[in-house]
Amino acid sequence: MGEIDRIAEPWGTRAAYGPGEFWPVRVDVRLDDGVRPADVDEWVQSATILHSNGDGLDIAVKDGRIVGVRGRADDRVNHGRLGPKDLFGYQANNSADRLTTPLVRRDGELVETDWDTAMAAVAGRTRELLAERGPSSVGFYTTGQLFLEEYYTLALIARGGIGTNHLDGNTRLCTATAAAALKETFACDGQPGSYTDVDHADVIALYGHNMAETQTVLWTRILDRLAGPNPPKILCVDPRRTPVAAAATIHLAPKPGTNVALMNAILHEIIANEWVDRDYVDRHTIGYDELAKQVADCDPEWAAAICDVPPGDIRDAARLLGTAERLLSTVLQGFYQSHQATAAAVQVNNVNLLRGMLGRPGCGILQMNGQPTAENTRECGADGDLPGFRNWANEDQVADLAKVWNVDPTQIPHYSEPTHLMQMLRYVEDGSIRFLYVSGTNPAVSLPELARVRKLLSQERLFLVVQDIFLSETAELADVVLPAATWGEKTGTFTNADRTVHLSEKAVEPPGTARADLDIFLDYARRLELTDKDGEPLVKWTDAEGAFEAWKECSAGRPCDYSGLSYEKLRGGSGIQWPCNAEHPDGTERIYTNGEFWSEPSYCESYGKDLVTGAPLDPVEYEAMNPSGKAVLKAAEYLELHEPPTSEYPYLLTTGRTLYHFHTRTKTGRVRQLQNAAPEVWVEMSPYDAELQGWDEGDLLRISTSRGSVRARLRISGIRPATLFLPFHYGYWDAPDERSARAANELTATDWDPCSKQPLFKCAAARVERIGVGNAPSPAPTTTASKPVVAGVSPTRGGTDAVVLEHFPAKGDER
Ligand SMILES: Nc1nc2c(c(=O)[nH]1)N[C@H]1C(S)=C(S)[C@@H](COP(=O)(O)OP(=O)(O)OC[C@H]3O[C@@H](n4cnc5c(=O)[nH]c(N)nc54)[C@H](O)[C@@H]3O)O[C@H]1N2
Ligand SMILES: Nc1nc2c(c(=O)[nH]1)N[C@H]1C(S)=C(S)[C@@H](COP(=O)(O)OP(=O)(O)OC[C@H]3O[C@@H](n4cnc5c(=O)[nH]c(N)nc54)[C@H](O)[C@@H]3O)O[C@H]1N2
Ligand SMILES: [Mo]
């Protein structure tokens, strides 16, 4: 047992292991000051909710209050470990400023009210609009942070009950491209890989994925492999010198937005050097010839000129991938939120397919998720999908869903793909959507072009409902605010990025009159008197377990099959990976193990799209192209950035995360250990540019695009030249004086990927000027990608305030 400052050392102590060995257990424990393990009344099973890793944990309860967390040694995902946000973040539940009672707007002010008044207003306005303007005047914008049971209920209410096509999740900003890339290649969502591939891989390639900061425990697994015998080689593709880049064998730092050019050059090299697994490609894929043709001229010199990466480095990277024996690829926002998002992410799938690296230990693709429950938003059809990965363009699958719901198939909108959020915003703007019900997301900080978003959401004619746990920037604009119970205060399940399902049990009562999101949705459905085609209540369950049982029925026979799971089965022990059914009662570690896919025309979730225009293929075209359901090698041409740098806006601005904060900081900003580690916004710039301008660490800069400007202190970091980085965490709830000059999204554009419709947060043309000389370093962390290049910046530490216990089991007792 050891004590360690986990703000200073985010990944904790190493436990080295070799290829194919068991990742040693290390149990991380954090309790409130003055609470000893013996004082804890009860440990309640759950998993982590500040990223998509799904680390099993137990919540410590004392006197009816959450007082700490402990990693679950038996969980397949984390073997006991927890990351800094989870070790300290639970304290946000106990914040004094949680919402405890509903609020309604009266004479311009939000005032406290009771539940009956608030819900009568919400249901009343819905009914009025349904009568006056029909279902398309009603829209829902949910999240990747509720539970499966809540999404499934919401999807039924919106799609099966109200009959609107306007239901999407903030997963649109997050993992829409993961889903789209999987649908393009495999004609169906569903993560091929498993986290255990880390234990076996000899090469791990991370594309636009700062795993060290965003999935800290998965990165710990890689660090432990790197510390052991026969470590894997790491490829990092990121314009910044992230901790991943620092640990990499090869780091390519392309210009933001040029991922497709880089990938095409890598594919060119793999083909030119005959590193292709011909047998796998011939038996299990279609599209090789087009792909080979597309990349034939894309040699490293061509890509080097576009990406500004040395051609020799591209060759070395291609050789690493081309000669790997067990290749694990991971992809995240550096691809998903950048130019040609889906096209780029699909090329990563192509690398693994060309090399036949799929479905075996160590050979996997992780088109990563970001949010803890984003997978469930997708599975349950609370975003741009129908429940159970059903295909909206396949009448039989829609009829099958209608049967599960006991509604008429025409009741479920499927005249087009479900409306994506960026389109919904346009409908709010033009007044065709008049009611927007926002749950578990903070669009007034997280959407692009915030000046526009504020204007849209504060319109008089829009009835805005916000269901949150704090008075967020978005809640401040609402007509009705509904206080939700959250993680630890309600029961439900959620699924991580490698298909592992966890049960999260209620540990404590919510504050005040706050209610579980599920209970609020159920109340809403009751008040709308939604019925099935026999006139019975449409929503037939009254609690979380009832919703889960109904979901099992909806998912049975579909790829994300939960029919073999139950709350009982998920209690104790480890999370379990879907598909879990009679055939696979203990779950499924890897899918696509025999080169068989879910892409058969009658079964597949998607017929695919044109990667340039986003136009969907029709069933006939798909059937002609892929009659026997193989994987699709889909080629893409590199296209110029939509907003290239100009003389007025000469820099490329990219945005993203830091290790210590989660999103708009409604939780982590209220936790002193995390907030102290990264207290204020900063901007990263290369030493080359800083020297050229004659600017120093800590100088106050103004960063502008054609949409707005933000003030931030300069951190001279390892970012590539001509590129700027802003963390997007800093909104206004704790800095009202900064109104409209702090959030990165003041600067980003209303622009999205044609295929996934995911907004492009990662490449905007920007200008920067100095507005003040600094007298101290910027407040950016030193342990992360924002590590300073100059000396004299005091290191990020938590000190005695951030001590965590690490338990390594005794020898012989490791499993
Ligand atoms: N600490 C922390 N962890 C989190 C979260 C959090 O808020 N904080 N959020 C969770 C969620 S919802 C998500 S979606 C994930 C996101 O996890 P990540 O995708 O790892 O995080 P980001 O910082 O958004 O972006 C990753 C990297 O993309 C790089 N990048 C930017 N533009 C480009 C480009 O054009 N090409 C390439 N190749 N790279 C580029 C950036 O330099 C950045 O280091 O993290 C999850 N985990
Ligand atoms: N510039 C830029 N913008 C980005 C990104 C980027 O990289 N750059 N990343 C994008 C990505 S990947 C994501 S995921 C989004 C995240 O964007 P948001 O979803 O807007 O961010 P959060 O701060 O997580 O907002 C979640 C809200 O739900 C509330 N909440 C928490 N738990 C519960 C609960 O149990 N019930 C209810 N009802 N509410 C709850 C929180 O208080 C908070 O207000 O941001 C996107 N925006
Ligand atoms: Mo995300």
Side-chain angles (χ1 to χ4, degrees):
M1 193 171 85
E3 290 192 349
I4 180 167
D5 172 355
R6 287 292 300 280
I7 294 292
E9 302 196 54
W11 306 284
T13 305
R14 290 287 58 73
Y17 72 123
E21 289 173 13
F22 182 81
W23 184 31
V25 166
R26 184 192 86 198
V27 176
D28 296 348
V29 188
R30 167 73 196 181
L31 294 171
D32 278 356
D33 289 342
V35 177
R36 292 161 309 155
D39 301 333
V40 174
D41 299 332
E42 199 188 356
W43 294 95
V44 179
Q45 184 175 356
S46 182
T48 52
I49 38 119
L50 296 173
H51 48 77
S52 60
N53 215 47
D55 304 319
L57 63 62
D58 292 319
I59 300 173
V61 180
K62 182 178 184 299
D63 303 328
R65 202 180 142 88
I66 298 180
V67 294
V69 289
R70 175 180 72 190
R72 289 180 63 84
D74 294 339
D75 201 278
R76 63 176 299 279
V77 170
N78 56 322
H79 294 202
R81 290 162 183 79
L82 296 173
K85 289 199 309 311
D86 309 304
L87 288 163
F88 305 108
Y90 70 86
Q91 298 169 92
N93 276 51
N94 299 329
S95 298
D97 61 346
R98 283 283 301 275
L99 289 171
T100 56
T101 179
L103 310 173
V104 288
R105 192 166 295 280
R106 295 249 163 76
D107 305 323
E109 296 286 309
L110 282 173
V111 295
E112 295 194 353
T113 189
D114 57 69
W115 274 99
D116 191 49
T117 309
M119 291 308 292
V122 174
R125 188 62 191 136
T126 311
R127 281 161 164 275
E128 270 169 30
L129 280 168
L130 289 177
E132 286 165 20
R133 294 172 168 263
S136 292
S137 59
V138 173
F140 296 86
Y141 180 39
T142 191
T143 180
Q145 301 174 40
L146 304 185
F147 291 162
L148 175 150
E149 294 77 359
E150 297 169 329
Y151 299 129
Y152 184 52
T153 304
L154 181 60
L156 172 57
I157 292 172
R159 301 196 194 284
I162 292 172
T164 177
N165 210 20
H166 308 329
L167 161 61
D168 201 3
N170 69 354
T171 46
R172 184 64 60 189
L173 323 180
C174 182
T175 55
T177 305
L182 293 169
K183 288 180 198 169
E184 290 307 317
T185 303
F186 304 109
C188 190
D189 199 340
Q191 194 68 264
S194 166
Y195 290 165
T196 53
D197 288 333
V198 169
D199 307 346
H200 303 276
D202 68 333
V203 175
I204 304 177
L206 298 96
Y207 298 95
H209 183 190
N210 185 7
M211 186 197 284
E213 299 191 49
T214 58
Q215 271 99 10
T216 51
V217 170
L218 194 57
W219 181 245
T220 303
R221 199 167 188 149
I222 292 182
L223 287 178
D224 287 348
R225 278 283 329 265
L226 290 175
N230 301 313
K233 296 198 166 70
I234 308 288
L235 169 66
C236 171
V237 181
D238 196 305
R240 297 189 302 151
R241 192 171 157 80
T242 60
V244 177
T249 318
I250 299 176
H251 173 205
L252 306 178
K255 227 192 246 177
T258 64
N259 297 316
V260 168
L262 183 71
M263 292 311 301
N264 279 353
I266 286 174
L267 290 165
H268 168 97
E269 286 292 293
I270 288 176
I271 291 174
N273 288 289
E274 297 179 0
W275 288 319
V276 174
D277 180 341
R278 287 303 321 198
D279 183 51
Y280 188 91
V281 167
D282 290 345
R283 286 200 296 152
H284 303 304
T285 71
I286 57 167
Y288 178 79
D289 292 341
E290 289 101 292
L291 179 66
K293 194 165 148 224
Q294 181 65 255
V295 303
D297 297 329
C298 302
D299 61 31
E301 279 69 25
W302 166 83
I306 295 167
C307 309
D308 188 27
V309 170
D313 289 1
I314 301 177
R315 282 205 169 81
D316 291 346
R319 176 170 299 278
L320 191 66
L321 301 172
T323 57
E325 285 169 18
R326 294 172 187 267
L327 169 65
L328 172 64
S329 303
T330 81
V331 194
L332 237 175
Q333 302 306 356
F335 273 41
Y336 298 169
Q337 295 175 337
S338 200
H339 178 54
Q340 293 194 279
T342 308
V346 161
Q347 303 319 310
V348 177
N349 295 343
N350 288 346
V351 171
N352 278 68
L353 286 175
L354 285 185
R355 303 255 24 255
M357 298 277 168
L358 208 59
R360 290 183 282 131
C363 305
I365 299 170
L366 290 168
Q367 293 283 353
M368 286 300 296
N369 296 346
Q371 292 173 90
T373 76
E375 189 67 35
N376 308 106
T377 317
R378 274 149 53 189
E379 295 160 6
C380 294
D383 59 358
D385 302 292
L386 293 185
F389 295 159
R390 284 180 176 81
N391 189 339
W392 61 268
N394 180 327
E395 289 295 337
D396 292 341
Q397 292 190 27
V398 176
D400 182 55
L401 179 63
K403 206 167 115 214
V404 174
W405 285 351
N406 196 33
V407 300
D408 196 89
T410 56
Q411 172 68 18
I412 302 169
H414 61 286
Y415 52 85
S416 73
E417 191 173 17
T419 319
H420 64 89
L421 174 73
M422 300 308 284
Q423 184 65 43
M424 277 168 57
L425 290 174
R426 177 74 190 120
Y427 291 152
V428 169
E429 188 165 47
D430 73 17
S432 63
I433 290 182
R434 297 279 171 120
F435 170 100
L436 188 65
Y437 190 149
V438 174
S439 49
T441 182
N442 189 9
V445 181
S446 57
L447 283 180
E449 206 181 342
L450 287 181
R452 170 177 183 254
V453 172
R454 280 191 292 270
K455 204 164 125 213
L456 293 188
L457 294 183
S458 42
Q459 289 175 96
E460 192 56 44
R461 68 181 175 202
L462 177 73
F463 192 89
L464 180 67
V465 181
V466 175
Q467 186 165 303
D468 205 290
I469 66 172
F470 293 108
L471 192 68
S472 66
E473 291 86 343
T474 310
E476 282 181 18
L477 305 174
D479 295 283
V480 177
V481 178
L482 302 174
T486 188
W487 171 90
E489 301 160 356
K490 61 181 183 183
T491 293
T493 53
F494 56 94
T495 307
N496 76 351
D498 87 338
R499 294 174 281 104
T500 306
V501 185
H502 285 105
L503 176 66
S504 180
E505 304 245 39
K506 177 171 173 174
V508 298
E509 290 302 324
T513 68
R515 287 190 192 170
D517 293 275
L518 178 67
D519 293 330
I520 306 174
F521 292 148
L522 290 173
D523 185 1
Y524 179 60
R526 260 192 313 272
R527 286 172 192 263
L528 292 179
E529 295 174 10
L530 300 174
T531 53
D532 66 12
K533 66 180 186 205
D534 298 323
E536 295 298 316
L538 178 71
V539 185
K540 298 189 171 37
W541 48 90
T542 52
D543 64 4
E545 192 161 5
F548 188 80
E549 289 299 316
W551 165 248
K552 280 164 60 178
E553 190 193 331
C554 182
S555 70
R558 294 300 302 164
C560 47
D561 193 335
Y562 282 65
S563 59
L565 288 172
S566 65
Y567 276 20
E568 205 38 55
K569 196 161 172 175
L570 291 166
R571 278 199 182 104
S574 170
I576 299 173
Q577 288 168 290
W578 65 248
C580 179
N581 48 24
E583 202 184 325
H584 304 282
D586 299 320
T588 308
E589 185 160 38
R590 286 178 194 84
I591 59 176
Y592 306 152
T593 45
N594 302 319
E596 284 167 15
F597 306 98
W598 290 316
S599 53
E600 205 267 311
S602 66
Y603 189 74
C604 70
E605 181 186 14
S606 167
Y607 302 127
K609 290 179 177 171
D610 182 281
L611 290 178
V612 176
T613 62
L617 266 66
D618 69 33
V620 180
E621 287 170 303
Y622 180 78
E623 178 134 28
M625 173 183 88
N626 194 15
S628 54
K630 296 189 175 188
V632 184
L633 288 164
K634 208 157 191 173
E637 182 191 358
Y638 168 72
L639 303 170
E640 297 256 318
L641 283 173
H642 299 172
E643 191 178 87
T646 60
S647 54
E648 195 186 351
Y649 296 107
Y651 289 85
L652 272 174
L653 168 69
T654 192
T655 64
R657 295 163 167 75
T658 190
L659 191 145
Y660 302 101
H661 280 304
F662 185 63
H663 298 170
T664 71
R665 283 179 318 118
T666 65
K667 289 183 176 174
T668 53
R670 287 177 166 89
V671 172
R672 61 174 195 279
Q673 290 89 347
L674 300 170
Q675 177 63 15
N676 291 344
E680 197 23 292
V681 68
W682 68 90
V683 59
E684 292 170 30
M685 190 183 222
S686 75
Y688 172 86
D689 290 312
E691 197 179 355
L692 207 66
Q693 302 283 357
W695 299 342
D696 285 323
E697 169 70 38
D699 283 354
L700 186 62
L701 306 187
R702 182 188 293 126
I703 307 94
S704 311
T705 67
S706 62
R707 273 92 38 196
S709 11
V710 161
R711 287 187 297 267
R713 293 210 175 264
L714 172 61
R715 165 54 47 88
I716 306 175
S717 76
I719 195 170
R720 54 165 291 120
T723 309
L724 306 169
F725 174 90
L726 277 173
F728 84 103
H729 304 295
Y730 300 89
Y732 306 108
W733 62 264
D734 59 339
D737 297 342
E738 302 282 321
R739 190 72 57 191
S740 82
R742 185 162 90 145
N745 281 321
E746 302 293 344
L747 308 181
T748 48
T750 301
D751 188 10
W752 57 87
D753 181 63
C755 201
S756 66
K757 323 294 184 196
Q758 183 159 350
L760 307 185
F761 291 113
K762 297 265 192 278
C763 42
R767 140 179 109 220
V768 54
E769 61 214 295
R770 182 164 71 176
I771 53 177
V773 174
N775 46 21
S778 80
T782 63
T783 41
T784 57
S786 57
K787 185 176 171 172
V789 295
V790 296
V793 179
S794 51
T796 301
R797 298 219 183 294
T800 52
D801 204 24
V803 170
V804 167
L805 290 179
E806 293 181 338
H807 298 262
F808 288 97
K811 263 267 168 282
D813 204 19
E814 286 96 348
R815 276 185 202 226

